[in-house]
Amino acid sequence: REDFLWKMISFDYHDLPQVASNALSDMVCITAMGACGYNLTQLQHRPNDVQNNAHEFKISVSQPSQDILRDQMIRKLFVTCLLSANFRLRSMAVVIFGTEQNEVKVACDSLESICARDVLTGNNSISGRSPFDILRQLLSADYEGLGKRLWTTIFAEILLACSDHSDGAYLACKQSEHQLFEPREKSKTVKRARGFLRPTQYQASKQQVLHTNRNNDYILNTTYSTFQKAILTERARKRFGRGRCLIAMRTLIHGCVDTCQLIFCCVLKAAWQNIPTNERRASLIKPMESLLSRPYHAQFLKIRENSRINAIQSILRVILHLRPLPSLDVFLIRSLASNYSCQREVLSYFEQHFTVLKRNGLEVNISSSELIQSILHVYKTLGDDDMIVSINSSLSTFKGTKFALSLDMYGFVIKSTDAYLALIDRVDGARKDFAPPEFELSVWEDRWVKGYKELSQWHLIDEFAASHGDPELMMECAWKVKNWDKVKSLCASPSVIASLVDGDPVTKMSEIFLAIHEGKLSEVENLHAQTAQLCLHKWQLLPSIGTDSNPHKVLLQQFQRLVELRESSQVMVETSSHSSGRTIPDLKNLLSSWRHRVPNSFEPISVWEDLFLWRQQIFDAVTSNFSWSEPGTLATLHDRPWTCISLCRTARKHGLKEVSMLSLSNLTECAMDVQDAFLKLREQVFTYRNATASHLKGGLNVVNSTNLSFFDARQKAELFRLKGFFLDALNDKTSSNQAYCNSVQICPTYSKAWVDWGNLCASLFVITRKKADNQPDAKLESTKKSNQYLAQAMGCFLEAVRCDASEHSRDRIPHCLSMISNDGAQYGILCQTLEARGVLLPAWVWLPWIPQLLTSLCRIEARAVKSIIGEVVKDHPQAVYYSLRAFFLERRDVDRSRGQDADSKDEESLLSVKYAELLMSNLRKLHPILWSKLEVILEDLIIRFRPSYEAELLATITALLQKASSRVELKSSKEEKNKEEHSLLESYHTTLKRIGMKFFNKEKPDGSKSRKAVLFHAKYASMFECDFLRQQTGPNGAVYSGPASIPELVERLKRWKLMIEYQVSRVPSSCKLQEASPSLAWYSCEPPDLWAGKNVLPFVISITLSRS
C-alpha cells in the first residue's frame, strides 16, 4: 500500500500526452479526496457534464478513520490535488484544505456550489480562517509529492481564496490603501472606495471636462474612455465583482510564473501584515525554517525545462519584502544559497538583516559574527574577490592589514604578498605586544597562499599546507610538483574522500591526474564522466550569468581542463601503442589545438599554470617514451618550448619577473627550432627591461653576445631594436639612433622599429627645445634643429602606420597632428612631412580623425590636410560627406557675416572655404549617384523628422513658464515687487508677441503654408490671442495686451502647457519608416562584410575565433 501510494504521489505526468496526463491526474485527485471521505464518483464518471446537470449532482461525505487522516502518504497525496489542472477539482481541494484538518466533515453545500455554479462568477472562497491560521497550515504542509512543480503556487492560490471576495473590484491608487483580507469592521469609506463610477457620474464628469478643456481629468478620461466603456458593459451583464477577479487571478497564476510570483508576493505581504502581533509572527518562524530545510526541494533542480525560478528562490524573494523581517537561522539561509542557486536572494536577506540589527543597536560589525561569516561565505561561492577583500578590510583592526589588502585589491601581487608575510613573521616572532585576532591571522594566511600561487611557489605552499593539515591544498601542490606518491596517499585519506562525497570536482580531477600518471587509462573515461557530472551540477546551482560571473568562469576553466585531460589520456594510449612498435605518432593536430586553446591574457597566472603545468607533464611522458628517436623528430612530438615561452610572456606582462624567469629555466635541456630559440632569447632580454642600470647593461650584453647568423631579417631587426632600447635607457642617444637605423635598414617594413625610432626622435626634440630655452642666443638655430627632430619623429610614426596599420602604430596619428603646431605661422618642415607621407597611408586610418582634419583646413597646414581628405573622399565618401558639408556651410556663413570688405577677411578662412568647396566638388564628380542619395537622406532627415508645431510651441511655453514661475517664488517686499512687476510684464508681453508672430503669423498667406501649419493656426491662433494678446487694464490703470499680473500669466501658461502636452502625447511613439520617409525605407540595414578576403584566407578567421 505504501509503495503504491508513493508511486501515485511521485508519478511524472510530463512523460504522458496532455489528454492522458489530465485524465490520470483527475483520477488521482478523486482517489485522494475519496480517502478523506468525499465520494466524487459521479464527477469521476461525468467530469464535463456536471454543470449541465447541476441539480442532479450530489456529494456524499463519510467519516473516515483518524488513522487515514493522520497517514503521511494520504496527506502528501492530497497536496498534489492543489495543483490539479482541473479547475473544479482544484477548487474543491482548496476549500477542503482551507478547513480545519481535524474537522473532516465540511459543508456539502459549499462543495456542491463549486461544482454546480458558473466558475467565472462562483464565490469559491475560504471563510472563517485568519491569515495566521492559513500560513501556519501552509508552512506545515508536506510538498514532497509535487516533485518538479512550483509549490509556491499553492501559497498564492490559498491566500487568494482566504481573502475577501465580497463587494466590487476597484483600481488601486496612491492616495488610498485597500485591504486584501477582510477587516474586522468594514467602514463606509472603504466600501465607497471599492465601488464603481456610476454611469451618470461618468457622463456628467465627461460633459464638464469637455466644456472646460483645461483639466487633467479631460486627459485621463479621454485616454481611458475605451477601457471605462468596457467596464460599464461588463457591469450591465452582471458579471462583475471582486470574487470574479480573484478567481481569474487564481487561474492565471497556474499559467505564468512571473504572474504567480508577483501575486504571491502581494498576498503573503498582506497576510503577514494582517497578523495582529509580532509574537504570533515569531511563532511562524520555526515552521518557515522547517519548510526551507526540507530536502525534497532539490527535486525542482532536476526539471527538464529551463525554469527561471525554483521554489526556494520564490519564497526567499517574498521574505525580503516582509515587514517586520523574520529572523531566520543564518546557517540555514547560507546553506540554501549554494544548494538552490539563490545567492543573490540570500545576500539581499543578509544585508537587510544586518541593517535591522544595526538599527536596533546590536553589535554585528565584528569578525566573529555569524552573519558576517555567512556573508563572506556567500561572496566566496560567487567568486567576488573584491567584495571579500573590502569586507575583510572593514573588519580588520591593524593598519598593516588594511595596507596589505589595499595592495592586494589593486593587483600588486609581490608587494601585497611581502606585506602579508611580514605580518605573519611578526606573529611567529612571539612578541607579546602583537596579538592579532584569529580572524585577521586567517586572512593573512589565506591571502598569502593566494599570492604565492600567483608567484608559482608551490614548494613553499606545500610546506604550509602540510603544517596546517589542509588536504585539498596539499593535493594541488603535490601534482604540480610531481609528487605522485603523496597524491596517491592523499586520495585515500578520509578528508579527501569526504570532499569527493560532497561533490568537489577539483578533488575528483586529481584522481584523473593519478590514473593517467599510473597508466590506468581504462579508468579515465569513467572518472571523466563523473567529474563532468559534478561540474554540470555545480553549474546548475549557480545564478544566471551576469556581467561579472566569476563562478561560471571558474567552471568553464574546469571544463577546459577536463577536455584536455581526456585528450591527454588519448595521447598516452597512442604513445604507448606507437612506442611499443617503434613508430612515430602524428600529434600535430592536438598540439595545434592546444596552442589556440589558452586562457585570456588578463587572467591570473594560476589559471595558466593549471593548464600548462599539466601539459608539461604530458610532454615529459611523451619525451621519455620516445627517447630512442632523433632529436629533430622528438621535437615534433611535444610543444614544451612554446608552452614555457607563452607562460613566460604572460607572467612578464603581469609584472611577475620571477615567474617569467622560472618558466624559462625549464628550457635548458630542450631541443627547439630557430623560431622558438629566438622567442626564448627575446623573453630573456625582456626580463632586463625597466630595471636598474646594472640590469640594463646585462640585457645589452646578452644582445651583443648573440650570434645573428641563424635568424631572419625581421628577427635581426627586433634584436637591433632591443639594443637601441637599452642604449636609450642608458642615455646613449647617438648609439641608440644608430641601432634603430640598422634595424630599419635590415627590415624596412618592421613597424615596431619605426615607432621606437620615432619615440627617440621625439625625446631628442624635447631635449633640444629645453637647451634652446636655456640659451636665448642660439634659440633660432636650436628651434630649427628641434623641428628637424620632430619631423623625423613624424616621418617614423607615419612610416610605421604605412608598414603595419595596427592599433599600436595608429595610436601615434594624433601625436603627428599635434606636432604641426610647432611650425608656427609658416608652412614649415612639419607640414611638408605630413603632406609627403600622409597621402601614402591607407585612407581608412584617417576616419577617426575627420573632425581634426577639417579643423586643420582653417590653419597653416590646410594644404597638407587637403591632400589627405581628398584621398578619404575618393575611398570613403559616405564617412566624410556630412562632416564636410556642415564644415563648408559653416565657414561660408562665417565669411558672409564679415561683409564684402576683402581687407577684413582672413586669408586662411578664405582658403578653408575654397578647399572645402573644392573637396565637395570632387566628391560630387567622383560619386554622383552616392551624392544624390545622400542629399535625399539629408533632406528627409531635415523635413520629415523635424518636431511638430505643437512640440515646438510646448518647448517655448515651458521655457517661459519656468522663467515666470521663478520670479513668482522670489520673496521680496511689496514695493520692490510692484516696481519690478511692470517691467517684467512688458518683457513677457514682448516675448509672447514674438511667439505669436512665429507660430500664428497672419501676414503670411495661407497658400504658402503647409496643411499641418494651416490646421495648427486654425486650432490655436484665436485661443492664443484671447489668452495672451488681448488688451486688458492693469491694477495701476495701464493698458496691457495680455494678463494683468504675473500670477495670472503663470496660471494661463500652465493651462496651455497642460493642453499642448496632451496633444503631444497623442503622437505615437513609433511609426513605420515606410510611412514617415519612403525614400529612407529603400536603404538596407544589413551590416557590411567585415571579413574581407575570407574566401582567400579562411585560416585567419578560424584562428581569430578560436583565440577569442
Side-chain angles (χ1 to χ4, degrees):
R1 175 179 174 274
E2 296 291 331
D3 294 341
F4 177 71
L5 287 176
W6 177 246
K7 288 181 179 179
M8 292 177 62
I9 293 170
S10 60
F11 186 79
D12 190 0
Y13 297 97
H14 295 282
D15 296 333
L16 297 178
Q18 185 176 2
V19 177
S21 174
N22 292 340
L24 184 59
S25 176
D26 292 348
M27 292 179 62
V28 171
C29 292
I30 291 173
T31 303
M33 293 184 187
C36 294
Y38 300 96
N39 186 8
L40 305 180
T41 308
Q42 187 174 2
L43 181 61
Q44 179 180 2
H45 293 314
R46 296 188 297 172
N48 299 321
D49 197 36
V50 175
Q51 185 174 346
N52 298 331
N53 302 278
H55 60 282
E56 300 177 0
F57 183 80
K58 298 295 181 182
I59 298 177
S60 60
V61 181
S62 61
Q63 182 73 22
S65 64
Q66 294 296 325
D67 295 336
I68 294 179
L69 291 178
R70 284 192 289 266
D71 192 336
Q72 201 68 21
M73 288 294 178
I74 297 297
R75 290 173 178 268
K76 292 180 181 179
L77 187 62
F78 181 78
V79 171
T80 60
C81 303
L82 298 175
L83 285 183
S84 174
N86 190 316
F87 176 78
R88 297 181 182 279
L89 290 175
R90 189 172 70 247
S91 301
M92 285 187 285
V94 168
V95 173
I96 295 171
F97 185 86
T99 59
E100 293 290 345
Q101 292 192 359
N102 56 358
E103 295 180 5
V104 179
K105 192 171 182 179
V106 298
C108 298
D109 296 338
S110 301
L111 297 180
E112 291 179 10
S113 65
I114 294 173
C115 299
R117 198 182 300 145
D118 184 2
V119 297
L120 292 178
T121 59
N123 187 13
N124 305 337
S125 61
I126 301 173
S127 58
R129 299 290 304 280
S130 66
F132 172 77
D133 295 335
I134 288 295
L135 282 178
R136 183 177 59 184
Q137 183 179 351
L138 286 171
L139 294 173
S140 304
D142 192 340
Y143 303 99
E144 184 177 5
L146 298 180
K148 304 171 185 177
R149 290 176 286 180
L150 191 65
W151 51 261
T152 52
T153 309
I154 297 176
F155 275 68
E157 180 167 11
I158 292 182
L159 288 174
L160 282 175
C162 295
S163 60
D164 185 12
H165 282 57
S166 62
D167 216 332
Y170 59 86
L171 179 66
C173 58
K174 296 180 180 180
Q175 288 78 10
S176 61
E177 296 182 357
H178 304 284
Q179 293 183 351
L180 180 63
F181 294 94
E182 184 176 1
R184 295 188 180 90
E185 296 181 0
K186 289 186 177 181
S187 62
K188 296 182 180 180
T189 57
V190 173
K191 189 171 183 179
R192 284 199 300 269
R194 292 176 179 173
F196 276 113
L197 180 65
R198 296 291 184 265
T200 55
Q201 295 176 354
Y202 167 71
Q203 296 293 339
S205 62
K206 184 176 180 181
Q207 293 292 335
Q208 182 181 1
V209 167
L210 289 177
H211 281 301
T212 59
N213 199 17
R214 295 284 195 271
N215 208 314
N216 277 334
D217 293 339
Y218 170 71
I219 300 173
L220 184 62
N221 290 334
T222 306
T223 305
Y224 296 103
S225 60
T226 306
F227 173 73
Q228 291 180 343
K229 290 178 181 178
I231 292 294
L232 294 176
T233 304
E234 291 294 319
R235 282 179 52 82
R237 296 178 182 177
K238 297 182 180 181
R239 299 182 64 185
F240 64 94
R242 190 180 186 187
R244 180 184 170 221
C245 289
L246 291 176
I247 291 175
M249 292 166 61
R250 289 166 57 184
T251 304
L252 286 175
I253 61 177
H254 291 272
C256 179
V257 176
D258 295 333
T259 303
C260 175
Q261 181 64 23
L262 182 62
I263 294 178
F264 177 39
C265 181
C266 295
V267 296
L268 188 59
K269 282 173 57 180
W272 185 263
Q273 293 174 359
N274 197 264
I275 297 175
T277 62
N278 286 334
E279 288 76 10
R280 305 198 75 180
R281 294 189 183 98
S283 64
L284 295 177
I285 292 179
K286 286 296 182 181
M288 193 179 298
E289 292 177 348
S290 176
L291 177 62
L292 291 174
S293 62
R294 300 291 176 85
Y296 55 74
H297 302 315
Q299 299 177 94
F300 199 88
L301 300 177
K302 302 177 183 179
I303 192 168
R304 298 182 185 90
E305 295 83 1
N306 185 20
S307 179
R308 291 172 295 175
I309 187 173
N310 57 52
I312 299 298
Q313 289 176 338
S314 175
I315 196 168
L316 284 179
R317 292 178 185 179
V318 178
I319 288 176
L320 295 175
H321 295 85
L322 299 182
R323 295 295 181 274
L325 185 71
S327 180
L328 303 175
D329 185 71
V330 173
F331 288 102
L332 170 64
I333 301 300
R334 186 176 76 176
S335 65
L336 297 177
S338 56
N339 292 333
Y340 296 100
S341 182
C342 51
Q343 288 89 347
R344 291 165 184 165
E345 291 83 0
V346 169
L347 281 176
S348 299
Y349 174 81
F350 283 158
E351 290 171 0
Q352 293 187 18
H353 195 182
F354 180 84
T355 305
V356 171
L357 293 178
K358 290 287 288 184
R359 190 185 302 122
N360 293 334
L362 299 178
E363 184 62 34
V364 292
N365 194 15
I366 55 177
S367 58
S368 60
S369 172
E370 297 178 357
L371 182 60
I372 296 296
Q373 295 296 329
S374 299
I375 293 175
L376 287 172
H377 175 79
V378 177
Y379 275 120
K380 186 177 181 180
T381 59
L382 289 175
D384 197 342
D385 195 63
D386 291 338
M387 283 298 300
I388 295 174
V389 172
S390 300
I391 295 174
N392 290 334
S393 179
S394 63
L395 297 177
S396 59
T397 56
F398 288 94
K399 294 183 179 180
T401 307
K402 295 180 181 293
F403 174 71
L405 289 172
S406 300
L407 293 174
D408 198 354
M409 181 179 293
Y410 286 103
F412 298 101
V413 178
I414 299 176
K415 293 182 179 180
S416 63
T417 306
D418 293 340
Y420 292 131
L421 184 59
L423 292 170
I424 296 174
D425 290 341
R426 290 181 64 186
V427 178
D428 295 339
R431 290 182 56 182
K432 296 182 179 180
D433 59 339
F434 187 74
E438 189 67 25
F439 169 77
E440 290 195 46
L441 184 59
S442 63
V443 169
W444 298 344
E445 293 176 348
D446 293 342
R447 305 306 298 183
W448 176 85
V449 169
K450 184 177 180 181
Y452 264 51
K453 284 183 179 181
E454 297 300 319
L455 296 176
S456 192
Q457 301 293 328
W458 296 107
H459 290 282
L460 295 177
I461 299 175
D462 190 17
E463 295 178 3
F464 173 83
S467 62
H468 285 70
D470 190 344
E472 296 179 359
L473 187 58
M474 291 166 62
M475 179 80 75
E476 183 181 5
C477 296
W479 77 262
K480 288 185 177 180
V481 299
K482 304 179 184 179
N483 190 352
W484 295 107
D485 294 335
K486 190 173 183 179
V487 173
K488 188 174 182 179
S489 62
L490 286 172
C491 287
S493 62
S495 56
V496 174
I497 294 175
S499 64
L500 291 174
V501 173
D502 293 338
D504 186 13
V506 178
T507 308
K508 197 71 176 177
M509 213 174 293
S510 301
E511 291 188 353
I512 305 179
F513 295 148
L514 184 62
I516 294 176
H517 175 74
E518 294 182 345
K520 300 177 181 179
L521 303 178
S522 58
E523 301 178 2
V524 173
E525 193 67 27
N526 186 25
L527 293 173
H528 178 273
Q530 295 176 13
T531 311
Q533 288 297 322
L534 293 176
C535 291
L536 290 173
H537 180 69
K538 290 280 186 182
W539 182 278
Q540 189 183 21
L541 297 178
L542 293 178
S544 58
I545 298 179
T547 55
D548 189 16
S549 299
N550 289 317
H552 294 91
K553 184 168 59 178
V554 172
L555 276 178
L556 288 174
Q557 293 165 358
Q558 293 179 4
F559 281 126
Q560 180 179 354
R561 295 174 65 186
L562 277 177
V563 172
E564 296 204 0
L565 284 175
R566 190 172 187 178
E567 293 173 347
S568 300
S569 66
Q570 296 173 359
V571 168
M572 297 307 297
V573 170
E574 192 172 353
T575 299
S576 33
S577 63
H578 281 273
S579 177
S580 60
R582 292 282 176 165
T583 57
I584 303 299
D586 185 10
L587 302 179
K588 292 181 179 179
N589 293 333
L590 175 65
L591 298 178
S592 177
S593 63
W594 279 10
R595 279 199 175 193
H596 297 121
R597 196 193 299 144
V598 295
N600 296 307
S601 59
F602 54 81
E603 294 189 40
I605 294 297
S606 57
V607 177
W608 286 73
E609 285 193 333
D610 288 341
L611 288 175
F612 281 23
L613 291 181
W614 174 250
R615 290 182 185 181
Q616 292 179 17
Q617 298 193 26
I618 295 298
F619 295 151
D620 290 341
V622 172
T623 305
S624 62
N625 287 334
F626 293 95
S627 58
W628 45 266
S629 62
E630 297 292 333
T633 305
L634 185 61
T636 62
L637 298 179
H638 65 86
D639 207 5
R640 176 191 290 276
W642 182 90
T643 302
C644 294
I645 292 170
S646 299
L647 184 59
C648 172
R649 183 190 306 113
T650 305
R652 172 177 57 81
K653 291 182 178 180
H654 283 234
L656 306 175
K657 290 186 179 181
E658 296 180 359
V659 181
S660 179
M661 297 176 66
L662 180 63
S663 179
L664 285 180
S665 64
N666 295 326
L667 294 177
T668 53
E669 299 178 357
C670 181
M672 62 187 75
D673 57 10
V674 176
Q675 177 66 21
D676 291 335
F678 168 75
L679 292 176
K680 177 189 175 183
L681 176 63
R682 183 174 180 269
E683 291 300 327
Q684 184 179 356
V685 172
F686 271 130
T687 57
Y688 293 96
R689 298 181 61 177
N690 303 325
T692 60
S694 59
H695 283 80
L696 293 174
K697 291 179 181 179
L700 182 61
N701 293 332
V702 172
V703 175
N704 290 331
S705 61
T706 302
N707 187 2
L708 304 181
S709 59
F710 298 101
F711 302 129
D712 59 15
R714 195 175 186 87
Q715 294 169 348
K716 292 178 183 178
E718 171 65 9
L719 291 176
F720 273 102
R721 183 184 74 89
L722 294 175
K723 181 179 179 180
F725 169 80
F726 285 116
L727 291 171
D728 186 13
L730 293 171
N731 206 20
D732 191 353
K733 304 292 183 181
T734 305
S735 301
S736 176
N737 186 61
Q738 185 63 36
Y740 286 128
C741 181
N742 294 335
S743 178
V744 297
Q745 284 179 351
I746 294 172
C747 184
T749 59
Y750 191 46
S751 61
K752 288 186 178 180
W754 286 109
V755 171
D756 285 2
W757 198 6
N759 291 332
L760 175 64
C761 295
S763 64
L764 291 174
F765 160 77
V766 175
I767 295 174
T768 309
R769 180 59 63 90
K770 288 182 179 179
K771 290 181 179 179
D773 295 338
N774 296 331
Q775 299 176 0
D777 298 336
K779 186 174 183 180
L780 181 61
E781 183 179 355
S782 299
T783 302
K784 183 178 180 181
K785 187 176 180 180
S786 63
N787 285 349
Q788 290 177 353
Y789 282 131
L790 204 58
Q792 292 177 5
M794 180 189 292
C796 291
F797 291 148
L798 296 178
E799 185 66 20
V801 177
R802 190 185 69 84
C803 296
D804 181 15
S806 62
E807 185 176 358
H808 177 71
S809 303
R810 287 185 281 114
D811 286 344
R812 271 66 182 179
I813 291 179
H815 190 191
C816 294
L817 295 177
S818 65
M819 291 179 183
I820 304 175
S821 60
N822 292 278
D823 261 347
Q826 297 180 354
Y827 193 83
I829 188 174
L830 294 172
C831 296
Q832 296 172 7
T833 305
L834 180 64
E835 183 180 10
R837 295 187 176 273
V839 294
L840 301 178
L841 271 60
W844 63 270
V845 303
W846 298 104
L847 294 181
W849 314 105
I850 293 296
Q852 287 77 10
L853 294 176
L854 292 176
T855 306
S856 298
L857 290 176
C858 302
R859 295 194 291 266
I860 194 66
E861 66 269 15
R863 191 174 69 189
V865 172
K866 180 184 74 68
S867 304
I868 297 175
I869 300 178
E871 296 297 324
V872 178
V873 167
K874 291 180 183 178
D875 297 338
H876 307 281
Q878 191 170 349
V880 74
Y881 173 74
Y882 292 110
S883 300
L884 181 59
R885 183 181 185 275
F887 175 80
F888 169 66
L889 295 178
E890 179 186 358
R891 299 311 305 175
R892 188 183 64 180
D893 294 342
V894 169
D895 288 343
R896 289 178 179 176
S897 64
R898 292 179 177 177
Q900 301 297 328
D901 189 4
D903 295 336
S904 64
K905 291 188 176 182
D906 187 21
E907 182 179 358
E908 294 179 359
S909 180
L910 283 173
L911 284 176
S912 66
V913 177
K914 178 181 178 181
Y915 287 150
E917 186 177 7
L918 180 61
L919 292 171
M920 288 291 296
S921 177
N922 292 339
L923 192 149
R924 286 194 293 267
K925 292 177 182 178
L926 294 172
H927 309 280
I929 298 177
L930 177 64
W931 173 78
S932 62
K933 295 294 184 181
L934 292 176
E935 284 292 335
V936 171
I937 293 175
L938 190 62
E939 183 179 358
D940 278 3
L941 291 175
I942 294 175
I943 297 177
R944 294 180 178 271
F945 294 97
R946 63 168 295 178
S948 62
Y949 293 104
E950 287 84 355
E952 293 182 358
L953 180 59
L954 176 63
T956 306
I957 289 178
T958 302
L960 185 60
L961 176 61
Q962 291 177 352
K963 186 177 179 181
S965 300
S966 63
R967 299 302 304 178
V968 173
E969 294 174 358
L970 290 177
K971 295 181 179 179
S972 57
S973 61
K974 187 174 181 181
E975 296 180 0
E976 294 177 354
K977 189 175 181 180
N978 292 333
K979 292 179 181 179
E980 294 179 358
E981 187 171 6
H982 179 69
S983 60
L984 288 174
L985 274 176
E986 288 185 352
S987 63
Y988 292 152
H989 292 160
T990 305
T991 303
L992 289 170
K993 288 180 181 179
R994 293 175 181 174
I995 295 173
M997 290 295 296
K998 178 181 177 181
F999 292 98
F1000 312 107
N1001 190 1
K1002 297 181 179 180
E1003 299 178 358
K1004 190 175 182 180
D1006 292 341
S1008 61
K1009 297 180 181 179
S1010 63
R1011 180 175 177 273
K1012 291 183 179 180
V1014 172
L1015 294 176
F1016 178 77
H1017 188 277
K1019 188 174 184 179
Y1020 297 107
S1022 59
M1023 297 171 59
F1024 188 86
E1025 183 177 358
C1026 179
D1027 284 345
F1028 299 109
L1029 303 180
R1030 186 177 59 185
Q1031 291 187 351
Q1032 295 182 4
T1033 303
N1036 54 358
V1039 177
Y1040 298 100
S1041 57
S1045 62
I1046 294 181
E1048 184 181 356
L1049 174 64
V1050 170
E1051 289 299 323
R1052 294 188 183 184
L1053 288 174
K1054 287 182 179 179
R1055 291 200 303 267
W1056 267 83
K1057 179 185 176 184
L1058 199 64
M1059 180 177 61
I1060 302 300
E1061 277 182 346
Y1062 168 65
Q1063 295 297 330
V1064 173
S1065 66
R1066 295 181 63 184
V1067 178
S1069 58
S1070 61
C1071 64
K1072 294 182 178 180
L1073 185 60
Q1074 182 67 32
E1075 299 175 357
S1077 176
S1079 59
L1080 288 178
W1082 283 98
Y1083 293 97
S1084 174
C1085 297
E1086 295 181 0
D1089 183 13
L1090 301 179
W1091 299 102
K1094 62 182 179 181
N1095 296 326
V1096 181
L1097 298 174
F1099 65 93
V1100 177
I1101 301 174
S1102 63
I1103 289 176
T1104 305
L1105 291 176
S1106 63
R1107 287 188 64 84
S1108 62

